[in-house]
Amino acid sequence: MSDQDALTPRVFLVRHGNLKEINTGFKVYITGRRIGPSEAQVSSTAATLVGAGKLLDPSRLAHIFISPRRRARRTFELLLLSPSFGAADWKEKITYTEDIAEWDYGDYEGLKVGEIRKLRKERGLDQEMEWDIWRDGCEGGESMQRVSDRLDRLVSQIREIQRPHMNRGGAADVLLVAHGLILRCFLKRWLDFSVDFPLQMMLAPGAIAVLSYKNNNIEEPAFHLGITLPLLGERGKR
């Protein structure tokens, strides 16, 4: 971990583990409220990247925001609620919030993307352009604007948590545990891009992404293209 990493607060995005029961992923099924995570994926991430002196060091966390959905809650349990940390230690730092819940797919829940596009065209919609969730939202569910509004609230909360800690280090990191599509939306709003900005991203189930601030400046939100891990001899010192 570099000196700048130690002084600049970070935001960790953790996508819940993959779903066992159905073959998911936005390009296959639109799913917002289904099933639980594959525990092996998340446990492997936790063993490798979570712990004292590791990438996600629990002692450096100021707050944790979790989607209320069951698979996000279970993912958090596998990441941090081990006997060595203890659930009681985290109670005051945790917020379960709909602001980071998955996009509400409304009438499209459980449908394949191709099925949604076909249904819409049969109803006279999207004759010039294919349906795109980023731009068009979901009937009976959420629009792009509604998703943007709730994510902007969360971004503002995080900035207020981290603002006093710029250039000071300590327990100022924030953790988000949520879902693939909404976390990609969050990254766009973090960078002040619109939700439908064409930024191609991938976030594997059980993976961790890292956001922060360029030049230790809260007015310059950024994301890490790559990160360095703490040296073995430094682990546990911070």
Side-chain angles (χ1 to χ4, degrees), residues 39-86:
E39 298 190 358
Q41 286 177 311
V42 181
S43 295
S44 177
T45 296
T48 305
L49 299 177
V50 180
K54 295 184 179 181
L55 172 65
L56 202 172
D57 187 333
S59 69
R60 290 169 56 94
L61 287 175
H63 206 84
I64 302 160
F65 294 95
I66 306 171
S67 163
R69 305 293 176 261
R70 180 163 57 93
R71 58 197 182 280
R73 288 172 174 264
R74 180 56 181 156
T75 294
F76 172 66
E77 292 171 1
L78 292 168
L79 279 176
L80 288 177
L81 296 188
S82 67
S84 59
F85 298 124

mmCIF file of all heavy atoms in Angstrom, residues 39-86:
data_model
loop_
_atom_site.group_PDB
_atom_site.id
_atom_site.type_symbol
_atom_site.label_atom_id
_atom_site.label_comp_id
_atom_site.label_asym_id
_atom_site.label_seq_id
_atom_site.Cartn_x
_atom_site.Cartn_y
_atom_site.Cartn_z
ATOM 1 N N GLU A 39 -21.371 -19.322 -1.671
ATOM 2 C CA GLU A 39 -20.525 -18.943 -0.550
ATOM 3 C C GLU A 39 -19.048 -19.143 -0.837
ATOM 4 O O GLU A 39 -18.205 -18.419 -0.305
ATOM 5 C CB GLU A 39 -20.948 -19.728 0.690
ATOM 6 C CG GLU A 39 -22.381 -19.425 1.102
ATOM 7 C CD GLU A 39 -22.737 -20.009 2.455
ATOM 8 O OE1 GLU A 39 -21.878 -20.691 3.049
ATOM 9 O OE2 GLU A 39 -23.861 -19.775 2.915
ATOM 10 N N ALA A 40 -18.718 -20.100 -1.685
ATOM 11 C CA ALA A 40 -17.303 -20.367 -1.963
ATOM 12 C C ALA A 40 -16.621 -19.175 -2.624
ATOM 13 O O ALA A 40 -15.475 -18.844 -2.296
ATOM 14 C CB ALA A 40 -17.170 -21.599 -2.852
ATOM 15 N N GLN A 41 -17.309 -18.499 -3.527
ATOM 16 C CA GLN A 41 -16.730 -17.342 -4.206
ATOM 17 C C GLN A 41 -16.357 -16.258 -3.212
ATOM 18 O O GLN A 41 -15.250 -15.717 -3.231
ATOM 19 C CB GLN A 41 -17.727 -16.766 -5.217
ATOM 20 C CG GLN A 41 -17.901 -17.574 -6.476
ATOM 21 C CD GLN A 41 -18.968 -16.952 -7.357
ATOM 22 O OE1 GLN A 41 -20.053 -16.644 -6.879
ATOM 23 N NE2 GLN A 41 -18.654 -16.770 -8.618
ATOM 24 N N VAL A 42 -17.302 -15.918 -2.354
ATOM 25 C CA VAL A 42 -17.086 -14.831 -1.411
ATOM 26 C C VAL A 42 -16.074 -15.218 -0.341
ATOM 27 O O VAL A 42 -15.237 -14.416 0.069
ATOM 28 C CB VAL A 42 -18.420 -14.406 -0.773
ATOM 29 C CG1 VAL A 42 -18.204 -13.251 0.191
ATOM 30 C CG2 VAL A 42 -19.415 -14.012 -1.860
ATOM 31 N N SER A 43 -16.144 -16.443 0.126
ATOM 32 C CA SER A 43 -15.190 -16.900 1.145
ATOM 33 C C SER A 43 -13.764 -16.850 0.631
ATOM 34 O O SER A 43 -12.828 -16.503 1.357
ATOM 35 C CB SER A 43 -15.545 -18.317 1.594
ATOM 36 O OG SER A 43 -16.798 -18.347 2.238
ATOM 37 N N SER A 44 -13.576 -17.179 -0.640
ATOM 38 C CA SER A 44 -12.248 -17.115 -1.240
ATOM 39 C C SER A 44 -11.746 -15.682 -1.298
ATOM 40 O O SER A 44 -10.586 -15.387 -0.978
ATOM 41 C CB SER A 44 -12.278 -17.718 -2.648
ATOM 42 O OG SER A 44 -11.014 -17.607 -3.270
ATOM 43 N N THR A 45 -12.628 -14.757 -1.690
ATOM 44 C CA THR A 45 -12.256 -13.339 -1.710
ATOM 45 C C THR A 45 -11.893 -12.867 -0.315
ATOM 46 O O THR A 45 -10.892 -12.173 -0.111
ATOM 47 C CB THR A 45 -13.426 -12.496 -2.252
ATOM 48 O OG1 THR A 45 -13.679 -12.859 -3.606
ATOM 49 C CG2 THR A 45 -13.104 -11.013 -2.197
ATOM 50 N N ALA A 46 -12.704 -13.247 0.675
ATOM 51 C CA ALA A 46 -12.460 -12.809 2.048
ATOM 52 C C ALA A 46 -11.118 -13.313 2.561
ATOM 53 O O ALA A 46 -10.353 -12.568 3.190
ATOM 54 C CB ALA A 46 -13.591 -13.288 2.951
ATOM 55 N N ALA A 47 -10.811 -14.587 2.299
ATOM 56 C CA ALA A 47 -9.560 -15.166 2.795
ATOM 57 C C ALA A 47 -8.345 -14.492 2.187
ATOM 58 O O ALA A 47 -7.305 -14.331 2.838
ATOM 59 C CB ALA A 47 -9.535 -16.665 2.498
ATOM 60 N N THR A 48 -8.459 -14.052 0.935
ATOM 61 C CA THR A 48 -7.322 -13.485 0.226
ATOM 62 C C THR A 48 -7.165 -11.987 0.443
ATOM 63 O O THR A 48 -6.044 -11.487 0.606
ATOM 64 C CB THR A 48 -7.464 -13.756 -1.298
ATOM 65 O OG1 THR A 48 -7.628 -15.151 -1.505
ATOM 66 C CG2 THR A 48 -6.237 -13.268 -2.058
ATOM 67 N N LEU A 49 -8.275 -11.253 0.484
ATOM 68 C CA LEU A 49 -8.206 -9.789 0.402
ATOM 69 C C LEU A 49 -8.737 -9.050 1.627
ATOM 70 O O LEU A 49 -8.576 -7.828 1.715
ATOM 71 C CB LEU A 49 -8.975 -9.307 -0.834
ATOM 72 C CG LEU A 49 -8.456 -9.800 -2.187
ATOM 73 C CD1 LEU A 49 -9.353 -9.293 -3.305
ATOM 74 C CD2 LEU A 49 -7.018 -9.352 -2.421
ATOM 75 N N VAL A 50 -9.359 -9.761 2.574
ATOM 76 C CA VAL A 50 -9.964 -9.098 3.726
ATOM 77 C C VAL A 50 -9.248 -9.516 5.001
ATOM 78 O O VAL A 50 -9.045 -10.703 5.247
ATOM 79 C CB VAL A 50 -11.464 -9.432 3.834
ATOM 80 C CG1 VAL A 50 -12.081 -8.737 5.042
ATOM 81 C CG2 VAL A 50 -12.204 -9.016 2.555
ATOM 82 N N GLY A 51 -8.881 -8.522 5.806
ATOM 83 C CA GLY A 51 -8.224 -8.819 7.075
ATOM 84 C C GLY A 51 -7.200 -7.758 7.432
ATOM 85 O O GLY A 51 -6.926 -6.834 6.649
ATOM 86 N N ALA A 52 -6.626 -7.860 8.604
ATOM 87 C CA ALA A 52 -5.644 -6.886 9.072
ATOM 88 C C ALA A 52 -4.472 -6.798 8.097
ATOM 89 O O ALA A 52 -3.854 -7.805 7.764
ATOM 90 C CB ALA A 52 -5.142 -7.271 10.456
ATOM 91 N N GLY A 53 -4.178 -5.586 7.626
ATOM 92 C CA GLY A 53 -3.063 -5.377 6.723
ATOM 93 C C GLY A 53 -3.309 -5.798 5.295
ATOM 94 O O GLY A 53 -2.413 -5.693 4.452
ATOM 95 N N LYS A 54 -4.518 -6.276 4.980
ATOM 96 C CA LYS A 54 -4.831 -6.693 3.618
ATOM 97 C C LYS A 54 -5.526 -5.552 2.876
ATOM 98 O O LYS A 54 -5.675 -4.445 3.396
ATOM 99 C CB LYS A 54 -5.683 -7.954 3.635
ATOM 100 C CG LYS A 54 -4.955 -9.178 4.206
ATOM 101 C CD LYS A 54 -5.813 -10.432 4.111
ATOM 102 C CE LYS A 54 -5.069 -11.643 4.658
ATOM 103 N NZ LYS A 54 -5.887 -12.888 4.558
ATOM 104 N N LEU A 55 -5.935 -5.823 1.633
ATOM 105 C CA LEU A 55 -6.555 -4.785 0.823
ATOM 106 C C LEU A 55 -7.718 -4.129 1.554
ATOM 107 O O LEU A 55 -7.788 -2.905 1.670
ATOM 108 C CB LEU A 55 -7.044 -5.383 -0.511
ATOM 109 C CG LEU A 55 -7.875 -4.448 -1.386
ATOM 110 C CD1 LEU A 55 -7.040 -3.270 -1.870
ATOM 111 C CD2 LEU A 55 -8.468 -5.217 -2.564
ATOM 112 N N LEU A 56 -8.665 -4.937 2.029
ATOM 113 C CA LEU A 56 -9.804 -4.414 2.769
ATOM 114 C C LEU A 56 -9.565 -4.717 4.245
ATOM 115 O O LEU A 56 -9.798 -5.822 4.709
ATOM 116 C CB LEU A 56 -11.097 -5.061 2.271
ATOM 117 C CG LEU A 56 -12.415 -4.322 2.516
ATOM 118 C CD1 LEU A 56 -13.561 -5.022 1.784
ATOM 119 C CD2 LEU A 56 -12.742 -4.159 3.976
ATOM 120 N N ASP A 57 -9.063 -3.719 4.943
ATOM 121 C CA ASP A 57 -8.707 -3.884 6.352
ATOM 122 C C ASP A 57 -9.875 -3.395 7.207
ATOM 123 O O ASP A 57 -10.206 -2.205 7.204
ATOM 124 C CB ASP A 57 -7.456 -3.063 6.663
ATOM 125 C CG ASP A 57 -6.918 -3.319 8.058
ATOM 126 O OD1 ASP A 57 -7.705 -3.698 8.948
ATOM 127 O OD2 ASP A 57 -5.702 -3.125 8.263
ATOM 128 N N PRO A 58 -10.545 -4.289 7.940
ATOM 129 C CA PRO A 58 -11.716 -3.882 8.724
ATOM 130 C C PRO A 58 -11.434 -2.750 9.707
ATOM 131 O O PRO A 58 -12.337 -1.957 10.012
ATOM 132 C CB PRO A 58 -12.105 -5.169 9.469
ATOM 133 C CG PRO A 58 -11.608 -6.262 8.575
ATOM 134 C CD PRO A 58 -10.315 -5.744 8.010
ATOM 135 N N SER A 59 -10.206 -2.644 10.193
ATOM 136 C CA SER A 59 -9.898 -1.593 11.159
ATOM 137 C C SER A 59 -9.912 -0.199 10.532
ATOM 138 O O SER A 59 -9.953 0.805 11.242
ATOM 139 C CB SER A 59 -8.522 -1.849 11.789
ATOM 140 O OG SER A 59 -7.478 -1.651 10.844
ATOM 141 N N ARG A 60 -9.905 -0.142 9.217
ATOM 142 C CA ARG A 60 -9.900 1.152 8.523
ATOM 143 C C ARG A 60 -11.291 1.580 8.059
ATOM 144 O O ARG A 60 -11.451 2.638 7.449
ATOM 145 C CB ARG A 60 -8.963 1.083 7.307
ATOM 146 C CG ARG A 60 -7.486 0.991 7.668
ATOM 147 C CD ARG A 60 -6.653 0.652 6.435
ATOM 148 N NE ARG A 60 -6.843 1.599 5.355
ATOM 149 C CZ ARG A 60 -6.070 2.660 5.125
ATOM 150 N NH1 ARG A 60 -5.046 2.915 5.947
ATOM 151 N NH2 ARG A 60 -6.286 3.465 4.109
ATOM 152 N N LEU A 61 -12.301 0.779 8.348
ATOM 153 C CA LEU A 61 -13.650 1.090 7.872
ATOM 154 C C LEU A 61 -14.363 2.077 8.796
ATOM 155 O O LEU A 61 -14.431 1.881 10.010
ATOM 156 C CB LEU A 61 -14.486 -0.184 7.771
ATOM 157 C CG LEU A 61 -14.141 -1.129 6.618
ATOM 158 C CD1 LEU A 61 -14.966 -2.407 6.728
ATOM 159 C CD2 LEU A 61 -14.376 -0.461 5.267
ATOM 160 N N ALA A 62 -14.910 3.129 8.168
ATOM 161 C CA ALA A 62 -15.714 4.096 8.914
ATOM 162 C C ALA A 62 -17.189 3.748 8.850
ATOM 163 O O ALA A 62 -17.925 3.989 9.813
ATOM 164 C CB ALA A 62 -15.490 5.499 8.349
ATOM 165 N N HIS A 63 -17.626 3.193 7.721
ATOM 166 C CA HIS A 63 -19.039 2.850 7.588
ATOM 167 C C HIS A 63 -19.222 1.792 6.507
ATOM 168 O O HIS A 63 -18.384 1.654 5.613
ATOM 169 C CB HIS A 63 -19.878 4.082 7.244
ATOM 170 C CG HIS A 63 -21.309 3.945 7.689
ATOM 171 N ND1 HIS A 63 -21.709 4.240 8.981
ATOM 172 C CD2 HIS A 63 -22.421 3.525 7.046
ATOM 173 C CE1 HIS A 63 -23.010 4.015 9.095
ATOM 174 N NE2 HIS A 63 -23.462 3.570 7.932
ATOM 175 N N ILE A 64 -20.354 1.076 6.612
ATOM 176 C CA ILE A 64 -20.675 -0.011 5.678
ATOM 177 C C ILE A 64 -22.122 0.166 5.238
ATOM 178 O O ILE A 64 -23.031 0.241 6.076
ATOM 179 C CB ILE A 64 -20.501 -1.387 6.357
ATOM 180 C CG1 ILE A 64 -19.077 -1.546 6.877
ATOM 181 C CG2 ILE A 64 -20.849 -2.511 5.384
ATOM 182 C CD1 ILE A 64 -18.933 -2.610 7.950
ATOM 183 N N PHE A 65 -22.341 0.240 3.928
ATOM 184 C CA PHE A 65 -23.681 0.327 3.363
ATOM 185 C C PHE A 65 -23.978 -0.978 2.633
ATOM 186 O O PHE A 65 -23.185 -1.414 1.788
ATOM 187 C CB PHE A 65 -23.788 1.497 2.390
ATOM 188 C CG PHE A 65 -23.637 2.849 3.036
ATOM 189 C CD1 PHE A 65 -22.403 3.487 3.063
ATOM 190 C CD2 PHE A 65 -24.731 3.476 3.621
ATOM 191 C CE1 PHE A 65 -22.255 4.734 3.648
ATOM 192 C CE2 PHE A 65 -24.593 4.719 4.221
ATOM 193 C CZ PHE A 65 -23.355 5.365 4.236
ATOM 194 N N ILE A 66 -25.111 -1.593 2.948
ATOM 195 C CA ILE A 66 -25.434 -2.911 2.404
ATOM 196 C C ILE A 66 -26.834 -2.888 1.803
ATOM 197 O O ILE A 66 -27.773 -2.339 2.408
ATOM 198 C CB ILE A 66 -25.374 -3.992 3.497
ATOM 199 C CG1 ILE A 66 -24.007 -3.965 4.204
ATOM 200 C CG2 ILE A 66 -25.632 -5.381 2.908
ATOM 201 C CD1 ILE A 66 -23.952 -4.848 5.431
ATOM 202 N N SER A 67 -26.990 -3.492 0.647
ATOM 203 C CA SER A 67 -28.323 -3.689 0.092
ATOM 204 C C SER A 67 -29.122 -4.598 1.023
ATOM 205 O O SER A 67 -28.586 -5.572 1.558
ATOM 206 C CB SER A 67 -28.224 -4.339 -1.294
ATOM 207 O OG SER A 67 -29.464 -4.897 -1.681
ATOM 208 N N PRO A 68 -30.410 -4.321 1.216
ATOM 209 C CA PRO A 68 -31.221 -5.173 2.099
ATOM 210 C C PRO A 68 -31.502 -6.556 1.535
ATOM 211 O O PRO A 68 -31.996 -7.416 2.264
ATOM 212 C CB PRO A 68 -32.540 -4.384 2.227
ATOM 213 C CG PRO A 68 -32.228 -2.996 1.782
ATOM 214 C CD PRO A 68 -31.151 -3.132 0.756
ATOM 215 N N ARG A 69 -31.198 -6.810 0.270
ATOM 216 C CA ARG A 69 -31.485 -8.107 -0.324
ATOM 217 C C ARG A 69 -30.674 -9.209 0.352
ATOM 218 O O ARG A 69 -29.531 -9.018 0.753
ATOM 219 C CB ARG A 69 -31.204 -8.094 -1.826
ATOM 220 C CG ARG A 69 -31.931 -6.991 -2.575
ATOM 221 C CD ARG A 69 -33.449 -7.185 -2.579
ATOM 222 N NE ARG A 69 -34.085 -6.049 -3.231
ATOM 223 C CZ ARG A 69 -34.631 -5.019 -2.582
ATOM 224 N NH1 ARG A 69 -34.631 -4.989 -1.256
ATOM 225 N NH2 ARG A 69 -35.178 -4.023 -3.254
ATOM 226 N N ARG A 70 -31.277 -10.382 0.436
ATOM 227 C CA ARG A 70 -30.699 -11.481 1.217
ATOM 228 C C ARG A 70 -29.289 -11.862 0.762
ATOM 229 O O ARG A 70 -28.406 -12.125 1.581
ATOM 230 C CB ARG A 70 -31.627 -12.702 1.137
ATOM 231 C CG ARG A 70 -31.134 -13.931 1.905
ATOM 232 C CD ARG A 70 -32.281 -14.904 2.119
ATOM 233 N NE ARG A 70 -32.911 -15.312 0.876
ATOM 234 C CZ ARG A 70 -32.558 -16.407 0.206
ATOM 235 N NH1 ARG A 70 -31.555 -17.154 0.631
ATOM 236 N NH2 ARG A 70 -33.197 -16.748 -0.900
ATOM 237 N N ARG A 71 -29.055 -11.895 -0.553
ATOM 238 C CA ARG A 71 -27.744 -12.325 -1.036
ATOM 239 C C ARG A 71 -26.657 -11.311 -0.706
ATOM 240 O O ARG A 71 -25.504 -11.681 -0.492
ATOM 241 C CB ARG A 71 -27.782 -12.605 -2.539
ATOM 242 C CG ARG A 71 -28.209 -11.434 -3.409
ATOM 243 C CD ARG A 71 -28.613 -11.965 -4.780
ATOM 244 N NE ARG A 71 -29.008 -10.918 -5.709
ATOM 245 C CZ ARG A 71 -30.203 -10.332 -5.707
ATOM 246 N NH1 ARG A 71 -31.093 -10.661 -4.795
ATOM 247 N NH2 ARG A 71 -30.492 -9.416 -6.610
ATOM 248 N N ALA A 72 -27.014 -10.028 -0.619
ATOM 249 C CA ALA A 72 -26.030 -9.018 -0.220
ATOM 250 C C ALA A 72 -25.727 -9.137 1.272
ATOM 251 O O ALA A 72 -24.566 -9.035 1.697
ATOM 252 C CB ALA A 72 -26.544 -7.625 -0.558
ATOM 253 N N ARG A 73 -26.752 -9.360 2.071
ATOM 254 C CA ARG A 73 -26.541 -9.539 3.511
ATOM 255 C C ARG A 73 -25.638 -10.744 3.780
ATOM 256 O O ARG A 73 -24.724 -10.687 4.610
ATOM 257 C CB ARG A 73 -27.884 -9.744 4.221
ATOM 258 C CG ARG A 73 -28.760 -8.504 4.320
ATOM 259 C CD ARG A 73 -30.143 -8.866 4.852
ATOM 260 N NE ARG A 73 -30.973 -7.718 5.109
ATOM 261 C CZ ARG A 73 -31.117 -7.138 6.303
ATOM 262 N NH1 ARG A 73 -30.472 -7.617 7.350
ATOM 263 N NH2 ARG A 73 -31.909 -6.094 6.446
ATOM 264 N N ARG A 74 -25.911 -11.841 3.081
ATOM 265 C CA ARG A 74 -25.115 -13.048 3.295
ATOM 266 C C ARG A 74 -23.676 -12.836 2.831
ATOM 267 O O ARG A 74 -22.731 -13.319 3.481
ATOM 268 C CB ARG A 74 -25.753 -14.225 2.540
ATOM 269 C CG ARG A 74 -25.000 -15.536 2.700
ATOM 270 C CD ARG A 74 -24.833 -15.919 4.152
ATOM 271 N NE ARG A 74 -24.105 -17.159 4.309
ATOM 272 C CZ ARG A 74 -23.424 -17.490 5.403
ATOM 273 N NH1 ARG A 74 -23.378 -16.675 6.444
ATOM 274 N NH2 ARG A 74 -22.792 -18.660 5.469
ATOM 275 N N THR A 75 -23.491 -12.116 1.753
ATOM 276 C CA THR A 75 -22.141 -11.825 1.282
ATOM 277 C C THR A 75 -21.364 -11.039 2.328
ATOM 278 O O THR A 75 -20.198 -11.328 2.606
ATOM 279 C CB THR A 75 -22.196 -11.041 -0.040
ATOM 280 O OG1 THR A 75 -22.753 -11.883 -1.054
ATOM 281 C CG2 THR A 75 -20.807 -10.591 -0.482
ATOM 282 N N PHE A 76 -22.012 -10.056 2.942
ATOM 283 C CA PHE A 76 -21.346 -9.296 3.992
ATOM 284 C C PHE A 76 -20.962 -10.184 5.166
ATOM 285 O O PHE A 76 -19.866 -10.068 5.723
ATOM 286 C CB PHE A 76 -22.244 -8.155 4.471
ATOM 287 C CG PHE A 76 -21.701 -7.450 5.681
ATOM 288 C CD1 PHE A 76 -20.526 -6.725 5.605
ATOM 289 C CD2 PHE A 76 -22.351 -7.542 6.901
ATOM 290 C CE1 PHE A 76 -20.012 -6.085 6.730
ATOM 291 C CE2 PHE A 76 -21.846 -6.914 8.024
ATOM 292 C CZ PHE A 76 -20.672 -6.183 7.937
ATOM 293 N N GLU A 77 -21.854 -11.076 5.550
ATOM 294 C CA GLU A 77 -21.534 -11.994 6.652
ATOM 295 C C GLU A 77 -20.280 -12.800 6.355
ATOM 296 O O GLU A 77 -19.417 -12.988 7.219
ATOM 297 C CB GLU A 77 -22.710 -12.933 6.897
ATOM 298 C CG GLU A 77 -23.946 -12.259 7.456
ATOM 299 C CD GLU A 77 -25.149 -13.184 7.475
ATOM 300 O OE1 GLU A 77 -24.989 -14.361 7.065
ATOM 301 O OE2 GLU A 77 -26.235 -12.740 7.895
ATOM 302 N N LEU A 78 -20.164 -13.277 5.132
ATOM 303 C CA LEU A 78 -19.001 -14.080 4.756
ATOM 304 C C LEU A 78 -17.733 -13.240 4.691
ATOM 305 O O LEU A 78 -16.631 -13.732 4.962
ATOM 306 C CB LEU A 78 -19.241 -14.747 3.403
ATOM 307 C CG LEU A 78 -20.335 -15.826 3.389
ATOM 308 C CD1 LEU A 78 -20.690 -16.199 1.961
ATOM 309 C CD2 LEU A 78 -19.873 -17.060 4.157
ATOM 310 N N LEU A 79 -17.878 -11.970 4.343
ATOM 311 C CA LEU A 79 -16.709 -11.100 4.233
ATOM 312 C C LEU A 79 -16.146 -10.696 5.584
ATOM 313 O O LEU A 79 -14.945 -10.759 5.820
ATOM 314 C CB LEU A 79 -17.070 -9.822 3.469
ATOM 315 C CG LEU A 79 -17.097 -9.866 1.953
ATOM 316 C CD1 LEU A 79 -17.585 -8.528 1.423
ATOM 317 C CD2 LEU A 79 -15.724 -10.208 1.383
ATOM 318 N N LEU A 80 -17.018 -10.264 6.492
ATOM 319 C CA LEU A 80 -16.513 -9.589 7.685
ATOM 320 C C LEU A 80 -16.991 -10.143 9.024
ATOM 321 O O LEU A 80 -16.338 -9.923 10.032
ATOM 322 C CB LEU A 80 -16.875 -8.101 7.632
ATOM 323 C CG LEU A 80 -16.091 -7.271 6.618
ATOM 324 C CD1 LEU A 80 -16.600 -5.838 6.624
ATOM 325 C CD2 LEU A 80 -14.608 -7.274 6.931
ATOM 326 N N LEU A 81 -18.115 -10.816 9.066
ATOM 327 C CA LEU A 81 -18.641 -11.225 10.360
ATOM 328 C C LEU A 81 -18.073 -12.562 10.812
ATOM 329 O O LEU A 81 -18.782 -13.494 11.148
ATOM 330 C CB LEU A 81 -20.167 -11.267 10.328
ATOM 331 C CG LEU A 81 -20.842 -9.920 10.084
ATOM 332 C CD1 LEU A 81 -22.347 -10.040 10.262
ATOM 333 C CD2 LEU A 81 -20.291 -8.846 11.008
ATOM 334 N N SER A 82 -16.765 -12.651 10.811
ATOM 335 C CA SER A 82 -16.092 -13.845 11.302
ATOM 336 C C SER A 82 -15.897 -13.712 12.812
ATOM 337 O O SER A 82 -15.996 -12.618 13.363
ATOM 338 C CB SER A 82 -14.729 -13.993 10.620
ATOM 339 O OG SER A 82 -13.875 -12.943 11.021
ATOM 340 N N PRO A 83 -15.589 -14.818 13.512
ATOM 341 C CA PRO A 83 -15.403 -14.736 14.960
ATOM 342 C C PRO A 83 -14.315 -13.754 15.373
ATOM 343 O O PRO A 83 -14.386 -13.163 16.451
ATOM 344 C CB PRO A 83 -15.022 -16.178 15.340
ATOM 345 C CG PRO A 83 -15.653 -17.015 14.274
ATOM 346 C CD PRO A 83 -15.549 -16.210 13.012
ATOM 347 N N SER A 84 -13.329 -13.542 14.510
ATOM 348 C CA SER A 84 -12.221 -12.659 14.878
ATOM 349 C C SER A 84 -12.631 -11.194 14.917
ATOM 350 O O SER A 84 -11.990 -10.369 15.552
ATOM 351 C CB SER A 84 -11.056 -12.831 13.895
ATOM 352 O OG SER A 84 -11.471 -12.527 12.581
ATOM 353 N N PHE A 85 -13.715 -10.835 14.202
ATOM 354 C CA PHE A 85 -14.155 -9.446 14.193
ATOM 355 C C PHE A 85 -15.397 -9.250 15.057
ATOM 356 O O PHE A 85 -15.519 -8.265 15.747
ATOM 357 C CB PHE A 85 -14.432 -8.988 12.759
ATOM 358 C CG PHE A 85 -13.216 -9.047 11.886
ATOM 359 C CD1 PHE A 85 -13.224 -9.781 10.709
ATOM 360 C CD2 PHE A 85 -12.056 -8.401 12.254
ATOM 361 C CE1 PHE A 85 -12.103 -9.847 9.907
ATOM 362 C CE2 PHE A 85 -10.925 -8.467 11.460
ATOM 363 C CZ PHE A 85 -10.952 -9.188 10.289
ATOM 364 N N GLY A 86 -16.339 -10.159 15.002
ATOM 365 C CA GLY A 86 -17.497 -10.090 15.887
ATOM 366 C C GLY A 86 -18.582 -9.149 15.386
ATOM 367 O O GLY A 86 -18.324 -7.994 15.083
#
